[in-house]
Amino acid sequence: GRKGGHKGRARQYTSPEEIDAQLQAEKQKAREEEEQEEGGEGATGDPKKEKKSLDSDESDEDDEDYQQKRKGVEGLIDIENPNRVIQTTKKVTQLDLDGPKELSRREREEIEKQKAKERYMKMHLAGKTEQAKADLARLAIIRKQREEAARKKEEERRAKDEAAMAGKRLQSLSLNK
């Protein structure tokens, strides 16, 4: 038998609690660094930074996530891409489930294809399509051929019965003599 390879043997999964603890530790470090930076500036501190520290924890977390996503030189250069779509999260109360839902191009094409197929099948069953007309003509020819074959068989069977009856008559006449 084969032995398994070295890949995937010693997989270790991190529990959600450990991940949460790591995230909290990182956030705490970031806050401490931010406080040290603010403390180092002294009284000439930015009013925006002071306001930030007074804000709720959620805004800090959002800013930190935004800073973490920036990599390399992105933190130094501010580029505003007009084509970039920023995903906005909606609250459950803002969702409009009852409104008309816009279909994607693929969904629309799929629905149109199904409708066209249904229309074709209705026309086909009514015998209005070219294929249906050809099928009906073929069926008519086959029916005629089968009727002719059945008629010929019936005639042959009658001929055999008559010949057998004639043979029995001759035999009975010859026996009667």
Side-chain angles (χ1 to χ4, degrees):
R2 289 188 190 173
K3 293 186 179 178
H6 65 281
K7 293 186 178 182
R9 246 189 217 168
R11 285 193 179 153
Q12 296 176 346
Y13 298 102
T14 312
S15 68
E17 294 83 22
E18 291 176 18
I19 293 173
D20 290 339
Q22 288 175 354
L23 288 174
Q24 291 295 331
E26 288 176 7
K27 289 177 187 175
Q28 187 65 28
K29 277 186 183 179
R31 284 186 195 135
E32 289 173 3
E33 289 175 4
E34 204 172 284
E35 288 173 5
Q36 288 175 358
E37 287 176 6
E38 287 178 13
E41 291 177 9
T44 60
D46 234 8
K48 288 182 182 178
K49 287 188 179 179
E50 291 173 12
K51 188 177 180 184
K52 238 187 211 181
S53 63
L54 297 175
D55 282 347
S56 67
D57 290 340
E58 291 178 13
S59 64
D60 289 341
E61 291 174 4
D62 292 340
D63 292 340
E64 288 173 10
D65 290 343
Y66 182 71
Q67 288 174 353
Q68 286 177 355
K69 288 180 185 174
R70 291 185 156 193
K71 296 177 183 171
V73 187
E74 289 181 13
L76 303 174
I77 304 171
D78 285 334
I79 298 174
E80 188 62 34
N81 185 355
N83 297 327
R84 181 170 177 250
V85 178
I86 300 172
Q87 292 182 346
T88 57
T89 56
K90 291 185 178 181
K91 295 181 182 176
V92 177
T93 56
Q94 292 175 340
L95 292 177
D96 185 22
L97 298 175
D98 298 333
K101 183 180 174 186
E102 291 186 27
L103 299 175
S104 68
R105 179 184 56 84
R106 286 185 180 167
E107 291 171 338
R108 279 195 311 270
E109 288 176 355
E110 187 66 29
I111 291 171
E112 288 173 9
K113 189 186 282 188
Q114 288 176 351
K115 287 182 181 178
K117 201 173 201 176
E118 290 173 7
R119 278 195 306 269
Y120 180 80
M121 289 307 293
K122 284 182 184 177
M123 296 280 285
H124 187 76
L125 292 174
K128 295 182 180 179
T129 61
E130 293 294 323
Q131 187 178 4
K133 290 176 184 176
D135 290 345
L136 292 174
R138 208 175 309 119
L139 285 173
I141 293 170
I142 291 171
R143 280 191 192 125
K144 286 181 184 177
Q145 289 174 348
R146 288 182 181 169
E147 286 174 5
E148 289 175 12
R151 196 177 315 120
K152 284 181 183 178
K153 265 189 181 179
E154 186 66 30
E155 288 175 8
E156 288 176 5
R157 189 178 57 78
R158 284 184 188 167
K160 282 184 181 179
D161 287 345
E162 287 176 12
M165 291 297 277
K168 285 183 181 178
R169 283 184 196 154
L170 287 176
Q171 214 176 30
S172 62
L173 285 177
S174 64
L175 290 175
N176 284 340
K177 286 186 185 176

